[in-house]
Amino acid sequence: MPSLAVSRSAEEPLTPQKRRLRSNSTAAPETPFSSPTKRKSPRRCLDSTPSSHSTRNDSIEPISNSSKSPAEELSEDFSEILNWNPRDASQVSAVKEALHVSTAPPTIVCREEEQRRVFDFCRACVEKEQSGSLYVCGCPGTGKSLSMEKVSNKLIEWARDGGFDPPEVLSINCTALTSSSQIFGKIVENGYVKVKGTAAPLQHLQNLYSQKQQSSSSLIIADELDYLITKDRAVLHDLFMLTTLPFSRCILIGIANAIDLADRFLPKLQSLNCKPLVVTYRAYSKDQIIRILQERLMVLPHVVFHPQALELCARKVAAASGDMRKALSVCRSAVEVLEAEVRESTIRLRSNSSLNDLLNPLQVKIDHMAAALSKAFRTPVIDTIQSLPQHQQIILCSAVKFFRGGKKDTIVGELNKSYVETCKSRMIPPVGISEFLSMCRVLNDQGLVKLGQSRGDDKLKRVTLTVDEADINFALQGVRFFRTCLQ
Amino acid sequence: MAVQNHARDAQNLLRSRLCNPSFVFKALSGSPDSNYSKLKFILSSSVTEACNNSLLLLGPRGSGKTAVLELVLNDLLEEYPDMISVIRLNGLLHNDDNCAFKEISRQLCVEHHLLFSKMASFDDNSQFLIAMLRECGLAHKTIVFVLEEFDLFAQGKQRLLYSLLDAMQSITSQAAVIGISCRLDADQLLEKRVRSRFSHRKLLFLPPSTEIIERLLQHILLLPMDSTLPNDYATQFNTKLESVLADERFKEILKNYLSSSSTINHLLRFLFVAVSSIDVKSGYPSLDNFKTALSSFRRQPKQECIKDCSILELYILACIRRLESKEQKSYNFNSVMKEYKSIHDQFQTSDDYARNVCLRAFERLLQRDLICFSDNRGQGQSVEFRPVKCLISHFELQEGIKAYRSCPVSCFLHYGFCYSGISLLAGVS
C-alpha cells in the first residue's frame, strides 16, 4: 500500500525519538486538582478552544457561550497556518496518542470533588494517626483507579511537606489473586511487617494491629474488590475489620462497580459503627465528556475535531453508558475514518495542494464521527442476516413463523417440517435433512439460533431463536421473497 | 499420452493451491477495503505507533478469519523482523485461567530463549507476563495475542481477558489483542468491566459477493504461464476453463450450491471435487466436472437406500408411516403386521406375504438403518416385540417412492392414504 510505505519512511527518524521519551518518563509532572482553566501556553490554548475555528467555516456556531476576546480573534489568522494536516503521519499519530486510554492526562478534570473528599479523609486519618476505610464505587470507565493513583501520590507529597511520615502505599488488583485470602499475604509481604514464625498472614496482621503501636500508616488500595467476595464473605469482612482493630493505622480504599457492596456484604461493620465511607463516581455527563476530550486535545497545537463532532460523540456515549474509555476509542476510530478518506482521495485525485487544505481545513467532522459511532454501537447481527445464504435465511423465516404462535422452542424435526412447507410455498426445492442439520449447526455457531443437546437422534434437539424477531424482519424486509414469507 | 500427464500435473497444481489458504486469500488482499487491508492497517499502526489495540474478528466458520490473520502476521513479520512476537491461545485448549497463563509464559519463554519452569505458580506466571510486557515495551517490541474461539474465554470469571486488557491500558506495554470468534455476540458475553476495556472494533467476515467469487475462481483455477506445464497446454486449458466459467449453466450450478452455505471454505471444497473429477483422458475441464461435484454434495443417503429396497420393504415402511400418522408413538413388528393385514383386508391386493418373509424384510430394514430400535433395554427379547422407530423422514420416503423404478401403484395408494391432505393419486404417472 503506497500510503503506508510513505508514512513509514517519514516516521522512521521520528518514532525512535518519540518512544524514548515515552518510555523514560514516568507520569507527567504532577499538578494538584487544578481547575481546567489553567493553560500552558496562550497560543496553544486559544487555538484549541471550541470557540476558535477557521474563519472559513462560518456556518458553525460555537459551543461555549463565551464571546471571543480580541486576542483570540487575532490569533485566528494564525490558526490557518497551524491547520492540522491529516496527511502527515506524525501529526495523526500524535492525535491518536493524545486520545489513547493509556496516556494519563496531567490533570484529571471533572473529578475534583470526589478526589477532594478522598484526600481529605486520608489526610484526616494520617493526621490523627487513625485508621479508616473507604469504598469507591461507580461504573467502569469513570476514572476511579486513575484518581486513586493521583490521590495516593498527592497524599505522600503532602505528608512529606507537612512533616508526617509518608504512608506506605500498596495497590493490589484483586483479579491477580488465585484465592481471596491471598490478599493478606500480599499486605504482609509488601508492607513493612515481617512475618515472624509460621503464623498465617491474617492472624499475624490481627495480632500486630491489636498489640503495639505502628510506626507509620499504610494505605491499601484494593481494586476490583468484588473478586474477594466468597460465599461466606469472610475475607471481605476480615479485611475491613482490620481497620477497626485498636492499634491499626491502615487506610483501606476499596474500588468496585457495585454501589451497594458495602450495605450488602458488610453488615457486621454497621453494627460496629465503622461502615466505610462511600464515594460514588457517577457516570460522565455529556458536558463532562466534552471537557475531558478538550483537555486531552489541548496538548496538540492544531484544531483536530470539529466542535459538533465532539458534541455528537459526547451525547451518544453519555446516553449509552457514560464510559470515558468508549468515548476515547470512538474519537480515535473517527480519526482513522478521516485518515482512510484522505488516503482514498489522495489516491484518486492526486492533488495535494496546500491551498486546497487552507480552503477546506481537514478536521474530523460530523460524518466521520457518525461513521465511527455506528461502527462502535452497531451489532453485526443485521449485516450478517442480510448476507446469509438463501436457505439459511429461509430457516430463520420459518422459525419466526413457527414461533409466532406463542411457542418459544421446538425440536429440529418440527422446524424441518416448517422449513419444507415454506420452501414448497415458494417453489424452491428444499434441502435434505442432513444439510438442514448442518445449516442449523452453522446458525448455532453464529449465535443466531440455539441448539440444545440430545443424546440420541439429532432430530430431537431443541432449537430456539436467540435473535429478536424484529431484527430478522428489519434485515430481510428489502427482499420481496421474505416479505411475503413473513406476513 | 502427453496430454494425460499434463492433465495430471495440472490437477496436482490446482489441488495444492486449493489446500493452501494463504494462496487463496492472497487474491482477496488487493482491495483497500477488504478485511486484509483493514487488519493490516490496525496492526501496523499498533507496531509503528506503539499504541495498544484490541479487536475482534467475527464470521461464520470457514470464512477465512484465521487465514487472513496469518497472512497479515506473516507480512508484518517480514516487514518488521524482530519487532513482533506472537502468542497464540485457543479457547478450546486454554479455557482455564491457570492453563492459559502457563501457556502464555511458555510461549514467551520460547520466543525469548528463556527457561520455562513447569512448577511456576499462577502468581509467578502473571507477574512474569506483566514484567515481559514492560520489558518488551521498553525494547519497542509489540506482543500480539491471538485468542481463537474467543467466546469460550468469556466463560467463567474472565480473569485472563481482564488481565490482558488491563495490561494494555498501561503506558509501558505495547501489545495487541485479537480475538477470533464465530459468535456474532461475542462481545456481549464479556463482563462489563472487560467490555469497557475492550475497544469496540469488529471486523466482520461476510460471505463473498459474486464479483469476489469470480475473482477467486480466476485466481485459483487459471494455470500460470510460468509453471512446469507447457505453454500451449496451459493456454488451451485456460481458454476452456474461461468458457466454462462464463457459461450461464455454470453460474446456475454455483448459485444452487452456494444457496445453502456460502463461506469460502465451502466453495473450496466444491472446487476440489470438481478439479478431482477432471477427465484425464480428455485433459481439459468441462461443465460436467462441476455438475458431478454438485451432485456429490447434494446426496441424500437415506433416499438412495430406498432405491435398493424391495417392494415388501417399501410396504413395511408405508405401514410404519401409517402407524405414525395415527399418533401411535411406539410400535413393534407385531403392530406393523397387524396394520399390514388390515390393509390387505381392506384393499385385497396381490402382495400378501407370509409372516416369516415379512420378518426377514423387517430385519433387513434394521440392518440398513432405515429403522432402529428405540431403546437398548430389551436385548433379551426377540425382534418381534421390541419397539422400533423410523429413521427416515416422511418427505424423504415420499421422494424415494416417487423415484422408485417400478413401484406398484398399490403401494403408492397405500402410502397416499396415510395423510388425507396429500394427493399422491394426482402424481401417479
Side-chain angles (χ1 to χ4, degrees):
Chain A
M1 288 178 279
S3 55
L4 208 59
V6 164
S7 73
R8 240 185 305 128
S9 58
E11 260 199 338
E12 285 301 293
L14 291 173
T15 37
Q17 205 178 8
K18 175 184 80 163
R19 284 188 195 156
R20 220 177 293 135
L21 287 171
R22 247 188 74 192
S23 52
N24 280 341
S25 69
T26 48
E30 284 289 328
T31 53
F33 323 121
S34 55
S35 58
T37 52
K38 184 165 151 196
R39 307 270 193 220
K40 290 190 195 126
S41 90
R43 181 197 253 189
R44 204 187 288 168
C45 84
L46 291 169
D47 280 332
S48 51
T49 48
S51 57
S52 76
H53 46 266
S54 167
T55 47
R56 307 282 180 241
N57 294 332
D58 291 325
S59 53
I60 290 114
E61 319 125 6
I63 294 180
S64 71
N65 295 330
S66 62
S67 55
K68 295 188 227 175
S69 69
E72 284 174 0
E73 276 178 329
L74 193 63
S75 74
E76 271 177 53
D77 298 319
F78 291 115
S79 72
E80 290 176 29
I81 309 171
L82 289 179
N83 254 337
W84 179 55
N85 181 10
R87 295 200 182 91
D88 184 356
S90 63
Q91 294 186 8
V92 170
S93 57
V95 173
K96 285 204 224 169
E97 195 175 322
L99 288 174
H100 200 273
V101 183
S102 56
T103 319
T107 60
I108 299 189
V109 292
C110 305
R111 289 295 176 211
E112 296 92 357
E113 174 63 33
E114 288 91 350
Q115 281 178 328
R116 194 186 52 78
R117 273 182 78 189
V118 176
F119 178 67
D120 286 343
F121 176 83
C122 296
R123 192 180 49 181
C125 286
V126 171
E127 273 175 357
K128 298 192 207 136
E129 296 190 357
Q130 277 178 356
S131 67
S133 58
L134 186 70
Y135 174 60
V136 174
C137 60
C139 294
T142 41
K144 306 184 289 291
S145 310
L146 201 56
S147 353
M148 287 310 114
E149 257 183 65
K150 292 277 188 273
V151 165
S152 61
N153 292 337
K154 174 97 178 90
L155 190 68
I156 294 180
E157 248 184 55
W158 167 84
R160 247 181 237 136
D161 292 340
F164 294 98
D165 263 328
E168 306 256 346
V169 176
L170 168 63
S171 186
I172 314 176
N173 195 319
C174 300
T175 50
L177 306 169
T178 26
S179 82
S180 40
S181 43
Q182 263 192 9
I183 185 165
F184 302 114
K186 282 249 165 19
I187 299 177
V188 163
E189 82 189 29
N190 215 20
Y192 50 95
V193 290
K194 304 266 184 286
V195 177
K196 279 184 270 206
T198 52
L202 175 58
Q203 263 83 38
H204 185 85
L205 282 171
Q206 286 174 335
N207 291 339
L208 205 58
Y209 286 147
S210 24
Q211 278 167 19
K212 58 176 195 185
Q213 194 72 288
Q214 298 308 307
S215 48
S216 73
S217 45
S218 59
L219 175 66
I220 304 173
I221 304 181
D223 217 340
E224 315 293 353
L225 201 62
D226 42 339
Y227 271 92
L228 290 182
I229 296 178
T230 49
K231 242 195 200 150
D232 54 355
R233 305 168 200 155
V235 175
L236 210 55
H237 265 126
D238 291 331
L239 185 64
F240 275 89
M241 297 280 269
L242 280 179
T243 58
T244 65
L245 295 170
F247 291 108
S248 94
R249 278 182 63 183
C250 73
I251 310 172
L252 177 64
I253 301 184
I255 307 180
N257 293 128
I259 295 187
D260 56 351
L261 194 88
D263 298 324
R264 256 193 304 151
F265 292 105
L266 302 171
K268 249 200 271 184
L269 295 181
Q270 173 119 27
S271 54
L272 285 168
N273 209 16
C274 49
K275 230 175 77 142
L277 180 69
V278 176
V279 177
T280 315
Y281 273 63
R282 317 269 317 266
Y284 286 117
S285 71
K286 170 189 87 116
D287 300 317
Q288 288 176 325
I289 296 183
I290 296 182
R291 246 174 76 194
I292 298 176
L293 287 173
Q294 283 167 358
E295 187 74 19
R296 280 204 178 222
L297 293 171
M298 246 177 26
V299 299
L300 306 166
H302 325 282
V303 177
V304 177
F305 283 85
H306 205 268
Q308 284 188 334
L310 277 183
E311 187 173 349
L312 176 66
C313 169
R315 254 186 225 279
K316 193 78 200 271
V317 174
S321 54
D323 186 343
M324 199 57 221
R325 290 192 187 108
K326 190 138 192 184
L328 290 171
S329 150
V330 167
C331 290
R332 279 176 68 212
S333 65
V335 170
E336 280 171 12
V337 169
L338 177 65
E339 247 191 288
E341 193 185 290
V342 160
R343 246 197 332 216
E344 237 176 283
S345 69
T346 326
I347 294 174
R348 256 189 272 142
L349 302 176
R350 306 210 171 273
S351 73
N352 207 352
S353 63
S354 53
L355 187 63
N356 213 4
D357 285 342
L358 277 182
L359 290 175
N360 304 330
L362 285 171
Q363 294 177 339
V364 179
K365 301 211 175 55
I366 284 202
D367 39 357
H368 305 125
M369 191 59 84
L373 280 169
S374 74
K375 268 201 291 189
F377 280 98
R378 189 177 55 182
T379 56
V381 168
I382 305 269
D383 284 333
T384 317
I385 296 182
Q386 281 176 339
S387 59
L388 282 178
Q390 191 189 39
H391 279 280
Q392 293 183 12
Q393 286 174 332
I394 299 180
I395 294 182
L396 284 180
C397 279
S398 51
V400 163
K401 273 194 352 195
F402 195 86
F403 292 133
R404 224 176 246 172
K407 281 215 279 191
K408 280 305 150 208
D409 70 347
T410 181
I411 57 174
V412 173
E414 298 290 316
L415 191 63
N416 189 21
K417 283 193 195 141
S418 165
Y419 161 78
V420 167
E421 270 172 37
T422 319
C423 279
K424 282 231 181 101
S425 67
R426 299 277 132 216
M427 309 293 179
I428 296 182
V431 297
I433 181 75
S434 47
E435 239 182 289
F436 179 81
L437 272 171
S438 70
M439 284 200 281
C440 282
R441 246 175 261 134
V442 167
L443 289 174
N444 176 43
D445 279 342
Q446 291 194 268
L448 296 169
V449 139
K450 185 157 153 56
L451 270 185
Q453 299 292 334
S454 141
R455 275 173 301 125
D457 202 4
D458 274 339
K459 281 193 279 206
L460 295 175
K461 286 192 182 164
R462 305 216 66 88
V463 60
T464 46
L465 261 188
T466 47
V467 180
D468 223 8
E469 183 184 324
D471 283 339
I472 301 182
N473 276 329
F474 178 75
L476 295 176
Q477 69 188 4
V479 186
R480 192 165 38 111
F481 174 94
F482 293 110
R483 243 204 316 253
T484 45
C485 244
L486 288 168
Q487 289 312 335
Chain B
M1 195 59 214
V3 171
Q4 289 186 4
N5 286 338
H6 294 323
R8 263 189 273 267
D9 291 338
Q11 264 189 330
N12 287 338
L13 175 71
L14 290 180
R15 280 195 281 227
S16 64
R17 276 183 179 181
L18 285 168
C19 295
N20 185 4
S22 57
F23 179 84
V24 171
F25 285 98
K26 225 187 257 298
L28 303 180
S29 58
S31 69
D33 60 336
S34 68
N35 282 328
Y36 170 85
S37 358
K38 287 187 205 160
L39 187 59
K40 184 153 184 197
F41 177 63
I42 293 177
L43 278 183
S44 54
S45 77
S46 190
V47 171
T48 52
E49 295 170 13
C51 61
N52 301 336
N53 268 327
S54 54
L55 80 154
L56 266 185
L57 303 179
L58 300 175
R61 288 200 196 278
S63 45
K65 308 181 286 287
T66 316
V68 169
L69 179 64
E70 291 297 325
L71 210 56
V72 170
L73 284 175
N74 284 337
D75 289 345
L76 286 179
L77 280 170
E78 275 174 42
E79 281 177 42
Y80 309 103
D82 282 343
M83 279 178 60
I84 307 180
S85 48
V86 182
I87 308 285
R88 291 189 174 86
L89 294 174
N90 194 314
L92 290 167
L93 300 170
H94 310 125
N95 205 350
D96 180 37
D97 292 321
N98 285 335
C99 192
F101 272 102
K102 203 186 276 200
E103 181 63 22
I104 295 178
S105 311
R106 191 189 65 81
Q107 290 192 20
L108 281 172
C109 288
V110 165
E111 282 267 341
H112 296 120
H113 310 291
L114 301 167
L115 279 177
F116 171 68
S117 143
K118 283 194 214 162
M119 294 297 131
S121 67
F122 175 79
D123 213 16
D124 296 336
N125 283 334
S126 55
Q127 296 291 339
F128 177 65
L129 170 65
I130 296 176
M132 279 307 282
L133 278 172
R134 206 177 324 133
E135 285 301 317
C136 287
L138 289 174
H140 310 307
K141 267 189 95 146
T142 315
I143 304 187
V144 177
F145 291 94
V146 177
L147 302 173
E148 305 218 14
E149 314 290 342
F150 188 76
D151 43 303
L152 295 177
F153 280 111
Q155 294 169 350
K157 270 194 164 178
Q158 303 183 6
R159 264 205 290 196
L160 170 71
L161 292 176
Y162 181 88
S163 322
L164 281 182
L165 293 172
D166 203 33
M168 293 209 334
Q169 306 256 284
S170 76
I171 202 168
T172 51
S173 62
Q174 202 169 314
V177 172
I178 304 177
I180 305 181
S181 174
C182 58
R183 277 193 71 146
L184 298 174
D185 55 349
D187 60 335
Q188 305 296 326
L189 297 171
L190 298 174
E191 252 190 355
K192 61 177 191 284
R193 284 185 278 234
V194 183
R195 200 169 350 143
S196 159
R197 286 169 168 80
F198 192 82
S199 88
H200 294 261
R201 286 175 217 253
K202 293 189 260 246
L203 278 185
L204 264 192
F205 280 76
L206 294 173
S209 61
T210 13
E211 305 91 46
I212 296 187
I213 293 182
E214 277 173 26
R215 207 159 13 120
L216 254 186
L217 287 173
Q218 303 228 328
H219 175 76
I220 299 177
L221 293 177
L222 290 179
L223 289 178
M225 285 298 133
D226 54 352
S227 67
T228 50
L229 299 165
N231 252 6
D232 46 358
Y233 172 76
T235 6
Q236 179 79 323
F237 187 97
N238 288 346
T239 358
K240 283 241 164 82
L241 187 67
E242 276 180 4
S243 68
V244 169
L245 290 181
D247 196 344
E248 274 306 314
R249 290 173 291 171
F250 171 76
K251 296 202 175 81
E252 265 309 306
I253 293 176
L254 199 59
K255 194 161 96 97
N256 195 357
Y257 178 70
L258 292 176
S259 66
S260 63
S261 170
S262 51
T263 53
I264 296 191
N265 200 3
H266 210 64
L267 177 66
L268 292 179
R269 265 188 258 164
F270 175 71
L271 292 177
F272 192 92
V273 177
V275 164
S276 304
S277 61
I278 289 182
D279 185 16
V280 279
K281 277 207 267 291
S282 74
Y284 297 108
S286 73
L287 192 61
D288 292 326
N289 302 135
F290 295 99
K291 280 199 194 143
T292 337
L294 180 66
S295 58
S296 81
F297 277 101
R298 286 263 189 262
R299 284 179 55 214
Q300 311 250 34
K302 293 252 169 17
Q303 231 172 285
E304 286 168 16
C305 265
I306 300 276
K307 269 196 299 192
D308 300 328
C309 286
S310 65
I311 308 276
L312 178 56
E313 285 159 14
L314 286 184
Y315 263 119
I316 293 183
L317 283 174
C319 292
I320 289 180
R321 263 295 170 244
R322 286 176 69 111
L323 286 176
E324 281 192 356
S325 77
K326 290 185 195 165
E327 305 289 329
Q328 201 165 332
K329 286 295 174 213
S330 85
Y331 38 83
N332 57 11
F333 177 70
N334 289 331
S335 37
V336 170
M337 281 313 292
K338 241 193 285 186
E339 183 70 23
Y340 185 65
K341 284 283 182 282
S342 77
I343 293 179
H344 281 288
D345 296 338
Q346 213 175 346
F347 295 111
Q348 268 97 41
T349 59
S350 58
D351 299 318
D352 195 7
Y353 294 96
R355 189 183 167 92
N356 51 349
V357 182
C358 294
L359 186 57
R360 250 339 249 123
F362 194 76
E363 282 172 358
R364 290 250 302 285
L365 284 177
L366 280 172
Q367 277 170 3
R368 212 176 284 131
D369 231 10
L370 286 170
I371 56 180
C372 72
F373 294 119
S374 19
D375 53 34
N376 287 328
R377 272 179 298 154
Q379 294 278 6
Q381 293 177 327
S382 81
V383 176
E384 304 174 351
F385 299 104
R386 289 174 67 181
V388 296
K389 64 180 178 193
C390 185
L391 289 181
I392 182 169
S393 73
H394 149 64
F395 182 73
E396 286 177 325
L397 187 54
Q398 190 179 341
E399 292 293 310
I401 289 183
K402 259 199 236 174
Y404 199 75
R405 53 186 186 277
S406 54
C407 183
V409 171
S410 51
C411 186
F412 239 151
L413 288 179
H414 296 154
Y415 191 73
F417 279 122
C418 294
Y419 297 87
S420 53
I422 300 174
S423 53
L424 272 182
L425 299 170
V428 170
S429 53

